[in-house]
Amino acid sequence: YTENYAKTFNINKEEAIAPYIAAAEKSRQLGIGLNAGHDLSLENLSYFAQNIPDLLEVSIGHALICESLYLGFENVVPMYLQRLTN
């Protein structure tokens, strides 16, 4: 549940990501797969994906739909994929 990350991202992204890094490290120690979602967007997804080890899946719904209204699905889906691979 990444709402707190998204809310704090523009204020202090290092502080925003810290608890999620800790949770990712703990999940890796326990052998648990890690998924994330809620309020992830084109603006904050890349930093999240780059800093969270072993991230298996992200659930992006609301932001993808909203951004697609302006930019079109055919543009937005590749933009999200690009942010997950960099």
Side-chain angles (χ1 to χ4, degrees):
Y1 184 73
T2 55
E3 179 182 11
N4 289 335
Y5 164 76
K7 283 183 174 181
T8 311
F9 178 78
N10 288 322
I11 299 166
N12 184 330
K13 63 184 177 182
E14 292 84 13
E15 184 178 309
I17 197 83
Y20 298 91
I21 292 171
E25 291 170 357
K26 187 64 171 179
S27 72
R28 182 177 42 206
Q29 291 171 1
L30 296 172
I32 298 171
L34 183 66
N35 299 338
H38 197 80
D39 291 340
L40 295 172
S41 67
L42 288 172
E43 179 183 4
N44 62 29
L45 179 61
S46 184
Y47 186 77
F48 189 86
Q50 290 170 0
N51 287 281
I52 301 299
D54 303 320
L55 183 62
L56 299 175
E57 178 181 315
V58 292
S59 298
I60 304 166
H62 184 79
L64 186 139
I65 297 300
C66 292
E67 290 158 342
S68 293
L69 290 172
Y70 294 100
L71 303 172
F73 276 114
E74 68 279 358
N75 297 315
V76 170
V77 171
M79 292 168 77
Y80 271 98
L81 291 173
Q82 182 269 332
R83 280 159 176 79
L84 288 169
T85 57
N86 287 342

